[in-house]
Amino acid sequence: MTTNTTETTPVIALPGRLAAVLTGLGAAATAGSALMPWTWTSEYPGDLTYYGSPAGLQWLALTAGLVTLVLLLATQGVPGLRWAAPRRSSNAVLFAATGAVAVGWFSVISIATDLGGLAHLEPGGWVLAAGSLLALAGTLGLPLDRRTAVPLRILDRRLFLLVPIAPAVWFATHAVPEDKPVAPVLTALAGGLAIATGAVLLVQLGHAANSWLRLGTVNRPLPAPRALPSWAEVALIVVAFAIGLFAITFGIDTEYGELFTGYLLLAASVVASLGRSGLLPRLRALTVKYQTVTTGAAFAAAASFPFTQTSDQYTSVATNILIFATVALGLNIVVGLAGLLDLGYVAFLGVGAYSAALVSGSPASPIHVQFPFWGAVLTGAVVSMVFGVVIGAPTLRLRGDYLAIVTLGFGEIFRITMLNLNGTTGPKITNGSNGIPRIPDLEILGWNLGKPTTIFGFELGRFSNYYLLMLLVTAVVVLVFARVGNSRIGRAWVAIREDETAAEAMGINGFRLKLLAFALGACLAGLAGTVQAHVSYTVTPDQYTFAEALPPNSAFLLAAVILGGMGTISGPLAGATLLFLIPKKLEFLADYQLLAFGIALIVLMRVRPEGLIPNRRRQLEFHEADADIPAQATGDTVALSKAGA
């Protein structure tokens, strides 16, 4: 049984001064390697062949080394840098150094794999590998916050049968001629077994590392910050969002999968290290103090994204992320607040999209009308809400798995119905599998969103215009979610989610409130669907399935809510962003995306079941024994209220 007793001791017995010196040298070497060539050929993406000119992955190594070095100096009490680590915890340095190792060794292995061997490494690559390992070894000699005992967890031993089976299938694949019909099946099976075997070994390695490191949290109250004038605190919030905008823009603008993978590794380690250092909790306190400024800065940073782009190549990605995130936030009302498991939610997005397409003047629409912008938006939202009521009224008396099965059936019924309304097997309304093409661009007060627009001297393309429109839609959905979640109805939803029988015993009309949640969630999905129809120009039934390799679909929407953090605003937004970007950027996993996604989902649920950005209630549900759960910022306490806390 794991004990909560903690201590501050090193993992490797080293003199404190020597450990700090090794960490600093390793961090400096990691950062310095970015100024040296990593390979002699430009065939590797990013052209890492120059001295003094970082590119691609080298920027990530430079950042990882500098963050590790700054946090080390801050924890050592160097004047001028103490603000970076208010808690003085060396665990922050360890997480940063781990990120440096992850980025460095991923880069080295990737170069060797793509180019055909370690012989293609230049001195910078060797310095990177050695320096990052030296920094990690040094941090293990620093005084770390640790638990006194963590037993070793062993996975089900039957899973380890994959270790001999995977190589056997791989050899069998190479023994079968490529022209045999069974060859593709064996190839796919070998790849799947390899990923599953790697996941099992990785999880077991994680359990072994956890038992050895015994990392924990020593409860140290944050020291009182230096008193600053209000304008300086507001400026810090603005700077923080500006840095966040730069980081997110860098991730969206990554041009190849290797760079995006390194970006994910670095981002995860930096966020973890800043959280352990106490810098993020201090920033969170500022955002709570200046909620209005925080909200304005967040949307100002988001609105600035199109102005950082020179073309619409990545703005189109950001637009689709906003559509996906907005629909996920609507689903969060149904799942996160009311606790209703909806597996066919993407159908409401389709209802809104089809409704808008039918009344937007498309030549393929049998309804020869063209509503203005507001008419199309209201049509999509209202029709989706009506469908939510019609579907919810006979089904919401069910609970749990039965409700999930019915909603899954509704999603498939919608898709099949849209296929059959083709003029042959049913009335000609949706053109069947051909869908409704040539949907004209929206026009708002004489502003045609399909034409380039010049704002402040910046020319914004079509997707930039739709991005700004979708940002307004997202703001409306966030406002609705926040207001409803903090209302009496929101508290009743949380009570139903926690225990419907007890809630009804206290006088709450469970059926009526569940129907209201279903209708409101459907309305918000339909609102996003109206914009999606015009962004994609075409609406087809295959866009609205339960599970596909690319979102949005019901499986990804539900995963975005659960992984991000149910019942919060920022959780589904972050979850949707990650789940859209990862399949989009990691195209080299095209054949195994769903398998890799499923394995990642299982691992994350084991490591952080409450989600990436949970509210305090869900943290307490999964970590009741932990005493260092920070107070929740008011912006994300929509599910933590009188009825639910």
Side-chain angles (χ1 to χ4, degrees), residues 436-519:
I436 302 177
R438 293 180 290 171
I439 301 173
D441 286 303
L442 287 171
E443 188 169 333
I444 305 174
L445 300 176
W447 175 32
N448 190 324
L449 273 66
K451 297 180 179 179
T453 306
T454 301
I455 301 179
F456 304 126
F458 293 88
E459 185 178 66
L460 303 181
R462 176 178 181 272
F463 284 106
S464 297
N465 296 334
Y466 277 107
Y467 173 87
L468 295 175
L469 172 64
M470 199 60 221
L471 188 62
L472 292 177
V473 174
T474 304
V476 171
V477 174
V478 168
L479 178 63
V480 170
F481 186 93
R483 299 292 292 176
V484 171
N486 286 321
S487 68
R488 179 175 59 88
I489 294 176
R491 296 194 294 271
W493 281 338
V494 174
I496 293 173
R497 183 193 70 194
E498 296 302 317
D499 192 328
E500 184 174 351
T501 302
E504 291 180 346
M506 297 302 295
I508 293 176
N509 189 328
F511 173 74
R512 183 174 64 85
L513 287 173
K514 288 193 296 183
L515 186 61
L516 179 60
F518 218 67

Side-chain angles (χ1 to χ4, degrees), residues 553-644:
N553 53 66
S554 294
F556 272 79
L557 287 170
L558 185 62
V561 173
I562 295 175
L563 293 181
M566 293 198 306
T568 66
I569 293 175
S570 54
L573 297 179
T577 301
L578 287 175
L579 290 182
F580 189 92
L581 274 180
I582 290 174
K584 188 75 174 179
K585 296 294 185 179
L586 303 184
E587 295 180 356
F588 59 88
L589 286 177
D591 294 335
Y592 305 103
Q593 276 184 359
L594 290 180
L595 176 61
F597 168 70
I599 292 174
L601 189 66
I602 293 172
V603 172
L604 188 56
M605 286 296 96
R606 293 289 296 175
V607 175
R608 194 173 175 84
E610 69 271 24
L612 297 176
I613 310 177
N615 58 35
R616 192 165 183 261
R617 156 175 281 279
R618 289 192 62 79
Q619 283 184 299
L620 289 173
E621 288 176 354
F622 290 102
H623 306 285
E624 292 182 359
D626 293 344
D628 191 41
I629 297 177
Q632 182 71 31
T634 55
D636 273 349
T637 54
V638 289
L640 179 60
S641 48
K642 295 179 182 178

Side-chain angles (χ1 to χ4, degrees), residues 35-46:
L35 305 178
M36 305 168 64
W38 289 4
T39 180
W40 59 269
T41 175
S42 60
E43 293 181 5
Y44 187 81

